[in-house]
């Protein structure tokens, strides 16, 4: 037998055997806030060890220290409060130690998790990591986890792309870092790297659900957003767009705690578009009746949600079990969303040297969607409304039961009643975490994570449909099977050097594999009485994506007097998606944080700023190629008659293909003013992205037309501001405010051959060009004189200066120009929270976007004479505008660029906590009733349904494009939460 085989069982036995304590110290006490209220779930631990516990709902704790020694320090932490420390003078017996924590306006004492999985106080970091608490997520009033982040993180622009239930949300952290692949951040749930793709298996137009929508907001403990390259460098080639770390709830020692939350919600569309009511048509003939089909398309919809969670445990084992049921109808008739979530988290302390944790989450969901049209699929409910003269009667024939055909496409009411587009998801996310403390100061952590799901999408259009192009029916079925696996090992070791210097060493290795398999089948001329893919014209296709990534890192942090912190690290990544000549890539970073207010010389300034901190960071991160096989010269399928074969692709492979690379400098300051009542966090960043992957032209003699290569460059810079104030703090009245503000200024500094390219799906309106903002609008403009007056084709001004009345037909300039920029100049939020006594609280959140243009393609269609459903066209029919005015104006794209600035009343809520005398009758520990609203009001000059939505969904470059997209509903919700 090999010697190792003899020693391994003995080593495991030693590791799993609890240490025998020579003495024991019992510490009890209560942790309260500044108002004297008990703080639940506060951490109480012996600093520098793994011995710790958490407080119960009243803030009471009991901690058993098995191996006490002199000089120990008891550390207490609670979210939104400053940590407190107390030296222990007793080493055995029982003592009582109470703590009263003070609010932390900047939350610098919060512990965040870096890529090394080490717990680090924010005050030691040279870069910003934002934290959003689970309570803020749960009370946001939306079942979509990422949508709940809106307005809560400076530097993160969170916009819901569609109001369809279960629809996707776009998250942009510090602007764009790519032009060709997804710009969504990397998501990690309890150490498991999860997929957040927004693959639209069946193109239904203006709808795409990203997979983070599968997660349940009720399960979330907190979310950490890693924003800059300096912070994200340890994540290597997957971190150019930032990292979102999600931590789900864990159990804590104590009696069984049961929490039940039920809510009911009502949704409706805030705005209706005005329609043409003219009594004549373009020929002057009378129109008997005009219809507004928005009332037949939109509806008031309901949502019911219920969540039950159980948690508890003892000093060795804790658990958290949660189940949620979501049932939501959409504001478009015929749409709905059902989701069931189940989570079980277990933690076990095998000994003082070894801890094991398991995280499991299962979700199954089903959505019924109605096609809307969008960029490619031009048959849908909202496209029918836009491409349909409202003089046409679309209602079902009372005799035949058939819907009449639409003017130029399908009948919207037929689509709602008879077309089917169900989507289903079954998903499991699980992780195993083993943490060992072999010697004092050393932590070894191993994680194994798995994310696997099956997504099915279908579209069924029956025979005899009102769509002329699909008279014989259509059936599409698509399945996406995804598997992601990650395996990580992290080592950290703290070495004191004297009494002033502390060194923290970190090493780690990360391996990840991801596989996607998409199979699509399509059939037309359907067999009778069938809704499956069976017809005389059939087509099937399969797409596979498979990649592996192996990374190593090393990090060193030097802490001097707990005032100055210096950090340096290096990450090395190798991926199967990189070209063979560029397989290994390196990503370094450096950072520094200086707590000036901790030095004695700061004493004269402490009256003004009791905390003053400077920080800076510089680092590199990467973005992997979109396709795992883009580096290769692939074959493509081609059919010839009844035979099939393969031919060379027109895209040449590239052995030098490497990840896109971002270098980012950020520096800023954190200030706590007026005795801790005001906190300011200010950051400036400048990011330069090189090696952007774009197609470039190659010599035709090679047999190819283009090649993906690292030929582009992009620059982005801006500022981020967080201002938090404690306006009033007292036993009966508390009022706090939070302001966030961020700016972005992205510019493309280099592209491939030709210097510019258009996005074809947007009718050539969106373009990328050197020296311009990415995804800017490019099109025709009005012909104007030197004073800015609009001219006709003969050069005559057509605006009456006295009345402002249009007297002629406008003309367009021959050359196209840059006509708009969809990237906002700034985005901000303003949050106020007010507490009256211990029972009543109010919350209001305003979100806003300043600047950023929208191309209102909806308005262009509504004013097109061939359709003319919009109210504006009525002026021409009634003779208030010259005949042919709108036919000419629709060719001038400048007209349809609108200011995309908006302000939304994002959240408004009032919560009442029942007094103890009532909860005791219910045999409950606590009970709350909350009435809340979301997206209640939008203030904007934009003339469409909703300035926040986007026909391109989560697409990187298609922003601010309004075309047949479901508006985000305004919601009112009543919820009741009880704890036993």
């Amino acid at each position: 037998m090999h010697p190792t085989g003899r020693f391994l069982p003995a080593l495991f036995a030693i590791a799993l055997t609890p240490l025998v304590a020579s003495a024991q110290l019992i510490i009890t006490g209560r942790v309260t806030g500044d108002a004297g209220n008990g703080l639940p779930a506060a951490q109480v631990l012996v600093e520098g060890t793994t011995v710790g516990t958490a407080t119960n709902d009243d803030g009471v704790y009991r901690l058993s220290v098995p191996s006490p020694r002199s000089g120990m320090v008891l550390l207490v932490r609670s979210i939104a409060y400053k940590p407190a420390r107390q030296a222990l003078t007793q080493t055995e017996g029982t003592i009582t130690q109470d703590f009263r924590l003070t609010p932390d306006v900047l939350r610098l004492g919060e512990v965040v998790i870096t890529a090394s999985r080490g717990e680090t106080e924010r005050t030691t970091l040279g870069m910003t990591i934002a934290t959003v608490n689970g309570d803020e997520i749960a009370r946001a009033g939306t079942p979509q986890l990422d949508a709940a982040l809106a307005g809560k993180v400076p530097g993160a622009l969170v916009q819901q792309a569609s109001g369809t239930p279960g629809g996707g949300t776009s998250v942009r952290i510090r602007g764009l870092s790519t032009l060709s692949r997804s710009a969504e951040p990397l998501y990690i749930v309890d150490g498991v790297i999860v997929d957040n793709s927004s693959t639209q298996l069946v193109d239904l137009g203006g709808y795409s659900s990203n997979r983070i929508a599968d997660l349940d907001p009720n399960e979330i403990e907190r979310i950490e957003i890693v924003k800059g390259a300096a912070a994200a460098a340890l994540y290597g080639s997957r971190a150019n767009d930032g990292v979102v770390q999600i931590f789900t709830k864990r159990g804590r020692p104590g009696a069984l705690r049961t929490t039940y939350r039920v809510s009911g919600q009502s949704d409706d569309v805030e705005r209706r578009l005005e329609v043409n009511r003219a009594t004549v048509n373009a020929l002057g003939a009378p129109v008997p009746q005009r219809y507004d089909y928005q009332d037949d398309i939109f509806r008031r919809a309901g949502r019911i949600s219920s969540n039950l969670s159980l948690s508890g445990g003892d000093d060795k084992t804790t658990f958290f079990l949660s189940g949620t049921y979501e049932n939501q109808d959409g504001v478009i008739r015929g749409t709905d969303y059902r989701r069931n979530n189940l989570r079980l988290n277990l933690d076990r302390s095998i000994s003082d040297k070894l801890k094991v944790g398991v995280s499991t989450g299962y979700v199954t969901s089903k959505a019924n969607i109605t096609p809307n049209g969008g960029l490619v699929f031009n048959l849908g409910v909202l496209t029918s409304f836009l491409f349909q003269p409202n003089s046409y009667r679309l209602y079902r024939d009372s005799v035949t039961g058939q819907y009449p055909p639409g003017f130029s496409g399908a009948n919207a009411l037929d689509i709602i009643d008879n077309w089917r587009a169900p989507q289903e998801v079954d998903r499991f996310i699980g992780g195993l975490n083993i943490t060992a403390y072999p010697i004092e100061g050393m932590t070894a952590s191993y994680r194994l994570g798995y994310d696997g799901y099956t997504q099915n999408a279908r579209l069924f259009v029956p025979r005899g449909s009102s769509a002329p192009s699909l008279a014989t029916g259509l059936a599409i079925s698509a399945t996406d099977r995804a598997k992601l696996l990650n395996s990580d090992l992290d080592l950290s070791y703290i070495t004191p050097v004297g009494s002033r210097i502390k060194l923290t060493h970190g090493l780690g290795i990360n391996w990840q594999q991801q596989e996607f398999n998409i199979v699509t089948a399509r059939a037309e001329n359907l067999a009778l009485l069938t809704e499956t893919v069976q017809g005389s014209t059939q087509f099937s296709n399969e797409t596979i994506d498979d990649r592996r990534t192996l990374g190593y890192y090393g990090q060193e942090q030097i802490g001097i007097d707990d005032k100055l912190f210096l950090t340096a690290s290096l990450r090395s990544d190798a991926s199967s998606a990189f070209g063979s000549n560029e397989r290994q890539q390196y990503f370094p970073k450096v950072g520094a944080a200086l707590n000036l207010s901790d030095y004695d010389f700061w004493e004269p300034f402490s009256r003004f700023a009791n905390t003053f901190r400077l920080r800076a960071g510089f680092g590199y991160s990467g973005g992997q190629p979109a396709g795992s096989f883009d580096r290769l010269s692939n074959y493509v399928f081609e059919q010839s008659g009844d035979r099939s074969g393969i031919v060379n692709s027109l895209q040449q492979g590239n052995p030098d293909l490497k990840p896109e690379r971002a270098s980012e400098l950020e520096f800023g300051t954190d200030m706590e003013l007026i005795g801790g009542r005001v906190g300011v966090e200010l950051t400036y960043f400048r990011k330069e992205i090189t090696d952007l992957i774009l197609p470039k032209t190659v010599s035709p003699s090679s047999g190819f037309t283009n090649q993906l290569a690292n030929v582009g460059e992009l620059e982005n810079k801006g500022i981020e501001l967080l201002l938090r104030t404690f306006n009033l703090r007292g036993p009966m009245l508390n009022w706090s405010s939070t302001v966030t503000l961020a700016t972005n200024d992205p510019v493309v500094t280099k592209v491939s051959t030709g210097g510019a390219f258009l996005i074809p799906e947007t009718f050539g309106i969106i373009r990328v060009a050197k020296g311009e903002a990415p995804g800017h609008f490019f099109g025709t403009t009005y012909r104007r004189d030197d004073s800015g007056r609009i001219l006709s084709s003969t050069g005559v001004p057509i605006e009456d200066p006295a009345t402002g009345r249009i007297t002629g037909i406008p003309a367009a300039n021959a050359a196209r120009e840059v006509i708009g920029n969809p990237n906002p100049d700034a985005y901000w939020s303003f949050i106020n929270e007010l507490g009256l006594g211990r029972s009543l609280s109010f919350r209001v959140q305003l979100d806003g976007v300043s600047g950023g243009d929208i191309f209102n393609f909806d308005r262009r269609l509504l004013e097109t004479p061939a359709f003319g459903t919009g109210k504006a066209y009525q002026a021409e029919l009634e003779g208030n505008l010259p005949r042919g005015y709108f036919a000419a104006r629709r060719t001038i794209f400048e007209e349809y660029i609108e200011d995309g600035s908006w302000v939304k009343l994002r959240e408004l809520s009032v919560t009442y906590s029942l007094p103890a005398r009532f909860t005791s009758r219910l045999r409950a520990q606590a009970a709350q009733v909350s009435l809340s609203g979301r997206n209640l009001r939008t203030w904007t000059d934009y003339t469409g349904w909703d300035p926040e939505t986007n026909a391109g969904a989560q697409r990187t470059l298609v922003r601010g494009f309004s075309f047949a997209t479901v508006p985000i509903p305004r919601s009112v919700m009543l919820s009741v939460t009880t704890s036993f």
Side-chain angles (χ1 to χ4, degrees):
M1 183 178 183
H2 194 277
T4 306
R6 299 191 188 101
F7 289 117
L8 279 177
L11 291 174
F12 276 108
I14 293 172
L16 297 176
T17 302
L19 295 179
V20 178
S22 58
Q24 191 174 40
L25 176 65
I26 304 297
I27 310 172
T28 62
R30 188 167 185 255
V31 180
T32 59
D34 59 326
N37 54 305
L39 298 179
Q43 289 183 318
V44 183
L45 65 154
V46 177
E47 191 170 21
T49 73
T50 62
V51 179
T53 187
T55 60
N56 64 14
D57 294 332
D58 295 322
V60 177
Y61 73 92
R62 184 182 186 276
L63 177 62
S64 175
V65 184
S67 302
R69 65 182 187 279
S70 61
M72 291 188 306
V73 175
L74 199 61
L75 170 64
V76 177
R77 285 196 180 99
S78 184
I79 293 175
Y81 288 87
K82 293 183 178 180
R85 292 172 170 85
Q86 179 64 51
L88 299 176
T89 58
Q90 189 172 324
T91 58
E92 60 181 342
T94 301
I95 62 173
T96 299
Q97 183 66 60
D98 294 333
F99 290 87
R100 186 162 184 162
L101 305 186
T102 58
D104 186 359
V105 68
L106 284 175
R107 302 182 181 179
L108 293 176
E110 283 185 347
V111 171
V112 295
I113 305 295
T114 62
S116 61
R117 308 308 297 172
E119 294 187 348
T120 306
E121 285 190 8
R122 292 180 60 205
T123 189
T124 69
L125 300 176
M127 64 291 295
T128 57
I129 296 180
T131 303
V132 181
N133 299 329
D135 289 342
E136 298 178 77
I137 299 297
R139 66 190 180 201
T142 173
Q144 295 168 245
L145 176 64
D146 43 6
L149 291 173
K152 297 177 175 63
V153 180
L157 179 60
V158 181
Q159 293 183 282
Q160 196 170 335
S162 166
T164 303
T169 299
S170 169
V171 178
R172 293 288 182 270
I173 299 178
R174 290 187 175 175
L176 283 181
S177 296
T178 185
L179 299 177
S180 60
R181 55 176 178 80
S182 170
E184 299 297 311
L186 173 70
Y187 284 84
I188 301 174
V189 179
D190 292 333
V192 181
I193 298 175
V194 299
D195 177 54
N196 185 41
S197 59
S198 53
T199 306
Q200 193 166 207
L201 299 177
V202 178
D203 191 350
L204 302 176
Y207 170 83
S208 181
S209 174
N210 47 325
R211 295 275 53 85
I212 288 301
D214 298 334
L215 301 184
D216 178 19
N218 294 288
E219 302 171 351
I220 305 306
E221 178 68 30
R222 73 184 189 279
I223 297 177
E224 295 175 2
I225 295 90
V226 182
K227 292 186 280 190
L234 281 181
Y235 295 93
S237 60
R238 294 165 297 182
N240 261 9
D241 306 297
V243 181
V244 177
Q245 299 184 128
I246 300 172
F247 300 89
T248 60
K249 295 178 180 178
R250 321 294 299 188
R252 60 180 189 265
L256 176 67
R257 178 183 175 88
T258 302
T259 301
Y260 179 67
R261 183 174 189 265
V262 61
S263 61
Q265 179 174 306
S266 176
D267 297 340
D268 70 337
V269 175
E270 177 184 357
R271 178 185 297 189
R272 297 284 203 275
L273 303 184
E274 293 187 279
V275 300
N276 179 6
R277 297 294 185 182
T279 58
V280 296
N281 61 19
L283 300 176
V287 174
Q289 186 174 357
R290 290 191 181 271
Y291 303 90
D292 183 357
Y293 291 106
Q294 291 176 98
D295 290 336
D296 300 288
I297 294 172
F298 297 118
R299 67 177 175 184
R300 182 177 294 275
R303 171 195 168 210
I304 296 177
S305 174
S306 61
N307 168 259
L308 177 66
S309 66
L310 298 90
S311 65
D314 54 28
D315 292 339
K316 294 294 183 181
T317 305
T318 59
F319 72 93
F320 174 78
L321 176 64
S322 174
T324 298
Y325 170 70
E326 286 281 349
N327 186 333
Q328 182 180 13
D329 291 334
V331 291
I332 296 282
R333 298 182 187 275
T335 63
D336 57 59
Y337 179 65
R338 310 286 186 269
R339 191 186 71 205
N340 295 279
N341 291 79
L342 182 64
R343 173 164 294 278
L344 175 61
N345 292 343
L346 292 171
D347 295 283
R348 171 71 176 174
S349 294
I350 306 298
S351 72
D352 293 340
K353 300 290 186 181
L354 186 65
K355 294 184 177 181
V356 178
V358 176
S359 302
T360 61
Y362 174 73
V363 58
T364 176
S365 67
K366 182 175 181 179
N368 290 303
I369 310 299
T370 57
N372 292 320
L375 299 176
V376 178
F377 187 80
N378 285 328
L379 295 172
V381 173
L382 294 183
T383 43
S384 172
F385 174 77
L386 297 171
F387 285 95
Q388 179 76 49
N390 68 337
S391 57
Y392 272 59
R393 191 177 191 279
L394 299 180
Y395 296 107
R396 185 199 304 264
D397 188 283
S398 58
V399 178
T400 66
Q402 298 294 313
Y403 283 100
F407 172 76
S408 60
N411 182 324
L413 308 184
D414 176 32
I415 295 174
I416 290 173
D417 280 357
N418 296 316
W419 294 25
R420 301 288 180 266
Q423 302 198 26
E424 299 177 358
V425 173
D426 282 286
R427 186 175 192 178
F428 175 80
I429 300 174
L432 169 67
N433 187 81
I434 302 174
T435 305
Y437 310 91
I439 60 176
E440 185 174 353
M442 176 176 283
T443 302
S445 178
Y446 173 73
R447 295 177 311 283
L448 180 66
Y450 174 80
D451 177 19
Y453 66 83
T454 299
Q455 178 184 0
N456 296 305
R458 297 178 57 233
L459 172 62
F460 167 68
V461 180
R463 295 179 65 93
S465 163
S466 59
S469 60
L470 299 175
T472 59
L474 169 68
I476 303 176
S477 178
T479 300
D480 181 6
R481 293 182 175 87
K483 296 179 181 178
L484 287 81
L485 186 69
N486 67 283
S487 178
D488 308 328
L489 176 64
D490 298 292
L491 302 173
S492 66
Y493 184 52
I494 299 175
T495 307
V497 180
S499 61
R500 299 184 56 194
I501 299 177
K502 183 173 71 174
L503 304 179
T504 304
H505 323 284
L507 292 172
I509 180 173
N510 166 261
W511 176 81
Q512 189 204 3
Q513 177 181 354
Q514 61 182 44
E515 299 177 3
F516 298 93
N517 187 311
I518 300 176
V519 178
T520 303
R522 176 188 176 107
E524 297 183 20
N525 193 18
L526 301 184
L528 294 175
L529 306 178
T530 65
E531 295 186 12
T532 56
V533 183
Q534 298 182 37
S536 63
T537 304
Q538 297 188 9
F539 167 82
S540 62
N541 182 62
E542 182 176 15
T543 302
I544 295 176
D545 191 276
D546 185 354
R547 77 176 64 187
R548 291 158 176 77
T549 302
L550 178 63
Y552 304 87
Y553 77 86
Q555 177 170 281
E556 186 70 28
Q557 184 183 80
I558 304 173
I560 304 173
D561 294 329
D562 280 335
K563 302 171 184 176
L564 173 62
F565 300 91
L566 304 173
T567 305
S569 71
L570 178 65
R571 166 92 182 203
S572 171
D573 264 7
S575 173
S576 60
F578 304 162
S580 57
N581 298 337
E582 297 285 351
R583 193 54 54 89
Q584 202 76 34
Q585 301 293 318
Y586 298 93
F587 305 95
K589 79 162 186 181
V590 293
L594 177 61
N595 300 326
L596 280 175
S597 54
D598 289 344
Y599 288 91
D600 293 338
F601 72 82
W602 192 260
E603 182 63 27
F605 308 101
S606 60
R607 292 184 179 180
F608 171 70
N610 49 295
T611 297
F612 188 82
R613 175 174 175 262
L614 298 176
R615 49 182 164 75
F618 179 79
Y620 291 87
S621 61
Q624 294 193 5
S628 295
F629 308 114
D630 289 343
R631 69 191 191 280
L632 303 175
S633 298
N634 297 303
Y635 293 101
V636 296
F637 168 81
E638 186 167 296
Q639 184 174 347
S640 177
D642 59 353
R643 298 185 178 184
S644 62
I646 56 174
V647 297
N648 287 328
S649 168
L650 297 179
Q651 181 175 290
Q652 185 179 27
N654 185 357
D656 296 319
L657 191 65
K658 55 187 177 181
E660 300 174 335
R661 190 174 184 84
S663 62
E664 182 172 359
L665 170 68
E666 71 168 83
F667 56 85
T669 181
D670 304 311
M671 295 179 288
E672 197 174 89
L673 311 175
I674 317 177
R677 298 178 68 91
V678 177
V680 179
E681 179 186 286
L682 181 64
T683 303
Y684 170 83
F685 71 91
R686 184 183 183 93
K687 183 190 301 186
E688 295 181 355
I689 303 95
T690 59
D691 298 326
L692 290 177
I693 299 175
L694 297 170
K696 74 170 186 178
T697 303
V698 297
S699 173
S701 62
S702 65
F704 302 93
T705 61
N706 65 85
Q707 178 190 63
L708 287 180
N710 301 98
V711 294
E713 295 181 2
L714 175 66
E715 182 182 283
N716 196 0
K717 59 185 177 182
I719 62 170
E720 297 166 0
L721 171 67
L722 170 66
L723 174 65
R724 185 178 290 119
T725 62
F726 295 144
N727 307 312
L728 295 171
R729 295 197 70 86
M732 296 304 296
L733 181 61
N734 288 277
W735 173 26
S736 63
S737 301
T738 303
V739 174
T740 69
L741 172 68
T743 67
N744 277 306
D745 184 21
V747 177
V748 177
T749 54
K750 182 181 177 182
V751 292
S752 54
T753 306
F757 61 90
L758 297 170
I759 307 300
E761 299 93 330
T762 60
F763 316 103
I765 296 168
I766 294 180
R767 188 180 74 147
V768 174
K770 179 181 177 180
E772 301 289 347
H776 62 268
F777 299 117
F778 185 74
T780 50
T781 61
Y782 281 108
R783 188 176 301 176
R784 301 176 185 270
D785 61 17
D786 294 339
S787 62
R789 294 180 300 175
I790 297 175
L791 303 177
S792 69
S793 58
T794 59
V796 177
I798 61 172
E799 294 176 281
D800 188 322
T803 64
R805 190 171 183 271
I806 302 297
T807 59
I809 307 299
N813 285 315
R816 303 175 74 187
E817 301 177 9
V818 176
I819 56 176
N821 177 8
N823 301 283
D825 300 322
Y827 43 97
W828 56 269
S829 68
F830 182 35
I831 303 171
N832 278 277
E833 296 179 283
L834 181 68
L836 300 177
R838 297 187 179 182
S839 297
L840 197 60
S841 63
F842 300 87
R843 174 184 171 87
V844 59
Q845 176 177 328
L846 295 170
D847 290 352
V849 165
S850 299
D853 297 315
I854 297 175
F855 188 91
N856 195 341
F857 202 81
D858 292 343
R859 180 163 69 88
R860 179 174 180 265
L861 294 173
L862 291 170
E863 297 175 0
T864 296
F867 318 124
T869 293
K871 180 177 176 58
Y873 183 57
Q874 181 176 333
E876 181 177 322
L877 295 177
E878 293 176 345
N880 296 319
L881 287 172
R883 293 287 181 177
Y885 174 79
F886 282 104
R889 196 174 79 168
R890 70 181 301 275
T891 65
I892 306 171
F893 287 166
E894 175 195 359
E895 166 63 31
Y896 304 101
I897 299 294
E898 299 187 20
D899 181 9
S901 302
W902 51 263
V903 176
K904 282 198 175 189
L905 180 53
R906 183 72 76 184
E907 297 176 24
L908 178 65
S909 67
V910 55
T911 301
Y912 179 69
S913 299
L914 273 66
R917 62 180 182 273
F918 291 111
T919 57
S920 61
R921 296 176 184 176
L922 301 173
R923 296 183 180 181
Q925 293 181 348
Q928 287 184 337
V929 179
S930 179
L931 179 64
S932 61
R934 184 171 180 84
N935 301 313
L936 293 178
R937 178 68 188 275
T938 302
W939 293 272
T940 182
D941 292 332
Y942 174 67
T943 61
W945 278 305
D946 192 333
E948 189 175 1
T949 57
N950 177 40
Q954 295 84 17
R955 291 189 55 171
T956 300
L957 290 175
V958 182
R959 317 295 295 173
F961 194 87
S962 175
F963 179 30
T965 307
V966 180
I968 301 171
R970 57 184 177 187
S971 307
V972 177
M973 181 175 69
L974 177 67
S975 63
V976 178
T977 305
T978 55
S979 300
F980 300 91

